[in-house]
C-alpha cells in the first residue's frame, strides 16, 4: 500500500502550479508569435489555421486557469483535513488528488500536441510565404 503525506501532496500541488505558470507563459508567447506571422496568412487554409490556433490558445489558457483554481481549492481542503485528521489523509482528499493528477496529465498531453501542431503550422506558413 502506498501512503502519502500532506506534505507530499502539497509539494505536488506546488509543482503543478509552477508548471501551469510555465505553460501559461508559453501559450502567451505562442499567441504573440501568431500575431506576428498572421499577416503572412493569405490563403483560406492559412487563415483558418490562424483562427484555429488563436481559439485553441485562448481555450487552453482558460483550462489552465480553471485547473489552477481546482488545485488551490484542493490545497485548502488538504489544510482543513490536516487540522482535523492529524497526519492521516482522508480518502476523499487522496481521491481528489488522483483526479487532479489525471486532469493535469491530460492537459499536459493536450498542450504537447498543440505545441507540435503549432510548430508545424508556423513552419509551413514561413516556408510557403
Amino acid at each position: 500500500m502506498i501512503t502519502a503525506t500532506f506534505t507530499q501532496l502539497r509539494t505536488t500541488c506546488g509543482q503543478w502550479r509552477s508548471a501551469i505558470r510555465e505553460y501559461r507563459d508559453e501559450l502567451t508567447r505562442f499567441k504573440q508569435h501568431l500575431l506576428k506571422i498572421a499577416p503572412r496568412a493569405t490563403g483560406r487554409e492559412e487563415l483558418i489555421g490562424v483562427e484555429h490556433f488563436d481559439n485553441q490558445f485562448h481555450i487552453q489558457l482558460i483550462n489552465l486557469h480553471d485547473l489552477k483554481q481546482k488545485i488551490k481549492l484542493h490545497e485548502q481542503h488538504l489544510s482543513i483535513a490536516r487540522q482535523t485528521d492529524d497526519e492521516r489523509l482522508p480518502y476523499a482528499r487522496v481521491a481528489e488528488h488522483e483526479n487532479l493528477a489525471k486532469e493535469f496529465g491530460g492537459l499536459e498531453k493536450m498542450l504537447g500536441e498543440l505545441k507540435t501542431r503549432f510548430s508545424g503550422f508556423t513552419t509551413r506558413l514561413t516556408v510557403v510565404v
Side-chain angles (χ1 to χ4, degrees), residues 50-64:
V50 167
E51 183 177 11
H52 167 75
F53 284 108
D54 185 52
N55 290 337
Q56 283 300 303
F57 296 149
H58 181 74
I59 289 166
Q60 296 311 319
L61 284 167
I62 291 169
N63 289 341
L64 287 169

Side-chain angles (χ1 to χ4, degrees), residues 14-129:
Q15 292 167 342
W16 290 339
R17 283 188 287 109
S18 177
I20 286 171
R21 279 189 295 276
E22 291 174 21
Y23 286 129
R24 185 189 63 218
D25 293 345
E26 184 175 44
L27 287 176
T28 301
R29 286 192 305 274
F30 288 166
K31 281 183 73 97
Q32 291 169 348
H33 183 62
L34 186 63
L35 286 174
K36 288 180 185 175
I37 65 170
R40 297 181 193 161
T42 56
R44 182 177 188 277
E45 292 299 317
E46 294 165 345
L47 292 171
I48 289 171
V50 167
E51 183 177 11
H52 167 75
F53 284 108
D54 185 52
N55 290 337
Q56 283 300 303
F57 296 149
H58 181 74
I59 289 166
Q60 296 311 319
L61 284 167
I62 291 169
N63 289 341
L64 287 169
H65 174 76
D66 291 349
L67 182 57
K68 182 182 80 170
Q69 295 305 313
K70 289 178 186 178
I71 292 168
K72 288 170 75 173
L73 181 62
H74 174 60
E75 288 179 302
Q76 290 173 356
H77 291 165
L78 288 173
S79 293
I80 292 167
R82 184 172 194 165
Q83 292 171 1
T84 58
D85 292 333
D86 301 322
E87 277 298 312
R88 293 174 292 150
L89 279 165
Y91 175 77
R93 299 295 69 94
V94 174
E96 182 179 53
H97 194 84
E98 290 172 356
N99 288 336
L100 285 171
K102 289 176 187 173
E103 188 172 346
F104 182 80
L107 188 56
E108 277 191 312
K109 182 179 178 190
M110 170 74 72
L111 292 172
E113 292 168 359
L114 179 60
K115 181 178 181 177
T116 300
R117 291 192 330 263
F118 183 63
S119 177
F121 175 75
T122 58
T123 300
R124 285 191 310 276
L125 192 57
T126 305
V127 170
V128 171
V129 177

